[in-house]
Amino acid sequence: METRKQSWGYWALLIWGGLLFLPLAVQYWQTTIAVDYYKWLPVAIIAAVLLFFRAMRASQPAVGDCAFWVKVSWFVICMAGLGFAYLYNTPWLGMIVFVPYLGLVFQAFNRDRSIPFLFGIWALFLLLCRLPGQLELRLLRMSSGFSAKIAGPVVDALGIFNVVQGEVMTMGNKELNIELVTDHYFTLYGVAMLAAFLCFFRKRNVWHTVILVASAFVVATVVNTCRLCLVAYLLHEHELRVMESVWQWGVLLVSYGGSLLLLMSVDALLDFMLQPIEEPSGRTGKQVVRFWNGLISFRLGAFLYKISQLGGVERTEKRWVLVCVSVVLISLTSFISTVKVYEYRGVGSAEEQMHKRENLSVIDPNAVEFTRPGWKVLKVEAEERPFDSIWGAFSFVWRLQYHDTIVVMALDYPFDDWHDVKVCYGNLGWTAVGEKVELLESNPRWYFSETDMVLPTGDYGFVMCSLSDHGGRYAEPKPVETGWHLVKYKFGRNKWVAPFGRVANKDEKTLYQNQVMVTTAFPLDEVTKQEIRAMYGEFREQTRALVMESTQVREGGGQ
């Protein structure tokens, strides 16, 4: 068979396109690797790369190629997605596009030499793609919550009285941070990586793989329950803080070993259940059996290979098509270069969009007064978190009491866009049951969002939120509607990076959030809600005025 040599131009375009992913890939990698439960990701990717080179050594003469139009279309779609990712400065989207592009690179290697199990190796790189942020955190919280609910009664059965509240298990005068046990180096995402590699080595089909990877949620929950019981027992009986000692690595090793055994058990069960069925001799059930047999024998890699052959396979690339693709790459390179130049100048970079820590306005929390009848200040606190926290780096929190109702008001900052606070509460288990964007009579120009929420326990939450910028200007709220208004808000030109979108100054990109959170056993009546709205209106006007005053003082002082 004639060996088909690929033109240097085709490889040059592939390498050129791959380099354009690099800036976004670096941002994505730095963010991902900083998360504890993704510390194992480099090990998984290195293993996938080694499997690729091992498969290269076992390659055979090529037996087919991908249709040229498929390759070109694939390439152009990936480049369009990359441009979209740069336009909205979204490294996550860049990685989502990069993995399919990596498949195009693998296909180029596969053209001259047929590499065994190449589709399975490529599928391992899907581990690079994180779930959308809120879904990722919600799954972790669900798994952690189930583990805590099961572990509590088990620890009770061991003779250790305990109370689980939020992320803390209290046993007498000892407290155990549940999140440190369930969301640290061992999580369902590490177990999912094990499941993916197990499916690869056992050459499972797509349905088997999807079910086994999904079962990582159950496996991780079971193992985390055992971890919680063990850590709680050792803390209570022997005062050994396992998660703060060298013993945590032994527990971690046993945890992953136990997870692998459970996954292998589930894999064996699936292998038994996902077997073809012999067709019955009669007519009854024959169509169902054929459908089942076709379903479980489906191979995604083989299906995509057939798609790639549509239209025939050409031995040489059309030069005029390569020229057109080159023009696309030149345009995209110019676009990305412009974005990066502005970012280097401090106009478009995420770090420079907001004021730096030392230039943020700081208020005196004791200057905020709550003078309406029936209100009492219980406590005032200042909180500090990592600068990239979804709750904001800094908070002033006022714990108030209105008759028998505890009301928490807070000033959180900084944010560079409207902060959807109900999403943050959703990560803690709350579910929104109603939301609206309204105006207060005291200020008919400053919108606020109001959300009713519930917990699985039946507790009721009432949340209000509004934001203003460093200079006191009101922030545009996120629309409640899910149609065109939301699309326009999320993808409007004001969301584009500099210099293509509206370039907001630092004052406009530094937002301060005023929020209210009320948690009660029963829904609030409308009279109480109206009083809380009135108090909130006075509260946010005071904090906004104090922020503006602090800003003026700093600017007057040469800051």
Side-chain angles (χ1 to χ4, degrees):
M1 179 180 291
E2 179 185 354
T3 301
R4 297 186 294 275
K5 298 296 183 182
Q6 300 182 83
S7 68
W8 64 268
Y10 182 73
W11 272 107
L13 293 177
L14 280 179
I15 295 172
W16 186 356
L19 290 175
L20 295 181
F21 283 93
L22 192 58
L24 282 182
V26 170
Q27 291 182 46
Y28 177 87
W29 185 260
Q30 289 174 340
T31 303
T32 300
I33 206 64
V35 181
D36 285 342
Y37 50 82
Y38 280 114
K39 297 294 186 184
W40 303 111
L41 188 57
V43 178
I45 298 306
I46 291 172
V49 171
L50 292 177
L51 287 172
F52 172 73
F53 285 112
R54 178 186 174 187
M56 285 271 292
R57 295 177 60 185
S59 62
Q60 301 293 327
V63 295
D65 189 18
C66 179
F68 186 59
W69 72 269
V70 173
K71 293 186 287 187
V72 172
S73 302
W74 194 347
F75 186 91
V76 172
I77 291 172
C78 288
M79 291 299 103
L82 179 62
F84 196 79
Y86 273 106
L87 183 63
Y88 290 94
N89 191 28
T90 312
W92 175 81
L93 178 59
M95 184 55 64
I96 295 296
V97 177
F98 172 73
V99 174
Y101 186 84
L102 189 62
L104 188 61
V105 176
F106 279 9
Q107 187 281 329
F109 280 103
N110 198 53
R111 182 183 181 185
D112 295 324
R113 301 286 297 177
S114 181
I115 304 174
F117 313 121
L118 186 60
F119 179 78
I121 295 173
W122 170 82
L124 291 175
F125 284 90
L126 290 172
L127 295 171
L128 282 168
C129 301
R130 297 175 61 175
L131 294 173
Q134 304 306 327
L135 178 59
E136 178 181 284
L137 292 174
R138 188 163 296 184
L139 286 174
L140 281 175
R141 294 294 176 267
M142 286 177 61
S143 177
S144 177
F146 285 139
S147 296
K149 286 181 180 179
I150 300 171
V154 174
V155 174
D156 272 336
L158 295 175
I160 303 173
F161 177 75
N162 68 93
V163 176
V164 176
Q165 187 172 14
E167 295 296 330
V168 177
M169 175 184 285
T170 304
M171 300 167 290
N173 60 348
K174 300 181 179 65
E175 291 186 349
L176 173 62
N177 186 338
I178 295 174
E179 186 177 2
L180 190 62
V181 180
T182 60
D183 296 351
H184 201 38
Y185 293 119
F186 179 86
T187 64
L188 65 93
Y189 297 114
V191 179
M193 291 179 193
L194 281 180
F197 277 92
L198 182 62
C199 289
F200 172 79
F201 285 114
R202 294 192 170 181
K203 305 299 180 290
R204 302 308 190 192
N205 64 28
V206 61
W207 306 119
H208 191 121
T209 301
V210 169
I211 297 173
L212 187 62
V213 171
S215 72
F217 181 91
V218 177
V219 172
T221 301
V222 171
V223 175
N224 266 329
T225 301
C226 298
R227 286 163 56 88
L228 273 174
C229 294
L230 174 64
V231 173
Y233 177 81
L234 293 176
L235 175 61
H236 185 270
E237 298 297 323
H238 303 283
E239 297 190 356
L240 175 61
R241 295 188 175 275
V242 175
M243 303 310 296
E244 300 174 11
S245 68
V246 70
W247 290 105
Q248 67 170 311
W249 304 110
V251 174
L252 183 67
L253 182 62
V254 172
S255 299
Y256 275 115
S259 299
L260 182 58
L261 290 176
L262 288 175
L263 287 172
M264 292 173 69
S265 300
V266 176
D267 177 70
L269 178 62
L270 290 174
D271 188 45
F272 170 74
M273 296 180 64
L274 300 178
Q275 289 291 329
I277 302 174
E278 184 178 351
E279 288 192 17
S281 56
R283 294 183 178 180
T284 305
K286 183 173 290 188
Q287 295 300 325
V288 175
V289 170
R290 287 179 179 176
F291 173 78
W292 170 260
N293 290 342
L295 187 68
I296 63 173
S297 62
F298 175 76
R299 294 281 175 172
L300 183 58
F303 174 75
L304 293 177
Y305 176 76
K306 290 181 180 179
I307 295 294
S308 71
Q309 303 299 298
L310 294 178
V313 177
E314 300 181 27
R315 293 177 177 271
T316 58
E317 291 82 10
K318 296 179 180 179
R319 294 188 179 276
W320 67 270
V321 177
L322 296 180
V323 171
C324 291
V325 172
S326 300
V327 172
V328 172
L329 280 175
I330 291 172
S331 302
L332 187 59
T333 303
S334 300
F335 166 72
I336 294 173
S337 299
T338 303
V339 170
K340 288 301 173 183
V341 166
Y342 272 77
E343 183 176 315
Y344 179 77
R345 291 169 53 188
V347 177
S349 66
E351 292 79 6
E352 293 295 335
Q353 286 178 353
M354 298 188 295
H355 278 289
K356 293 183 179 180
R357 180 188 300 260
E358 60 269 18
N359 292 329
L360 295 173
S361 294
V362 180
I363 71 169
D364 177 8
N366 295 314
V368 180
E369 298 179 345
F370 302 89
T371 58
R372 294 182 66 86
W375 288 85
K376 181 169 61 174
V377 179
L378 301 178
K379 192 175 184 181
V380 181
E381 297 176 303
E383 299 178 358
E384 184 172 347
R385 293 172 287 270
F387 203 74
D388 59 350
S389 171
I390 60 174
W391 294 93
F394 306 100
S395 294
F396 290 111
V397 182
W398 293 261
R399 302 188 185 279
L400 314 171
Q401 183 175 350
Y402 175 66
H403 297 316
D404 295 330
T405 303
I406 301 300
V407 180
V408 178
M409 296 194 181
L411 175 67
D412 311 307
Y413 62 98
F415 300 98
D416 63 353
D417 202 352
W418 180 272
H419 180 230
D420 197 350
V421 70
K422 74 175 185 297
V423 175
C424 294
Y425 285 116
N427 294 332
L428 301 179
W430 291 92
T431 301
V433 295
E435 181 186 8
K436 57 184 179 181
V437 174
E438 297 285 347
L439 289 167
L440 291 173
E441 293 183 1
S442 58
N443 191 332
R445 295 182 300 153
W446 193 359
Y447 285 95
F448 70 94
S449 70
E450 180 179 301
T451 309
D452 294 316
M453 310 191 82
V454 293
L455 278 174
T457 59
D459 288 348
Y460 173 82
F462 180 66
V463 181
M464 299 174 66
C465 168
S466 58
L467 293 92
S468 59
D469 70 16
H470 197 68
R473 290 172 286 269
Y474 310 130
E476 178 188 2
K478 176 184 175 182
V480 177
E481 300 86 354
T482 57
W484 170 248
H485 292 288
L486 183 59
V487 173
K488 184 179 179 181
Y489 175 83
K490 284 184 170 293
F491 301 105
R493 187 172 180 179
N494 60 328
K495 303 293 184 181
W496 295 0
V497 296
F500 303 98
R502 177 179 175 271
V503 181
N505 59 40
K506 289 186 177 183
D507 283 358
E508 295 173 312
K509 294 298 290 184
T510 306
L511 301 180
Y512 298 76
Q513 172 186 269
N514 299 277
Q515 70 152 310
V516 173
M517 178 57 175
V518 183
T519 304
T520 57
F522 303 98
L524 295 173
D525 58 78
E526 188 57 35
V527 175
T528 303
K529 283 186 177 181
Q530 194 59 38
E531 176 60 28
I532 293 174
R533 292 187 189 106
M535 188 72 261
Y536 173 67
E538 294 184 10
F539 164 75
R540 68 173 184 171
E541 292 293 349
Q542 292 183 71
T543 56
R544 172 173 170 267
L546 289 170
V547 168
M548 293 172 61
E549 180 182 340
S550 176
T551 300
Q552 293 170 0
V553 170
R554 285 178 176 274
E555 291 176 351
Q559 296 291 331

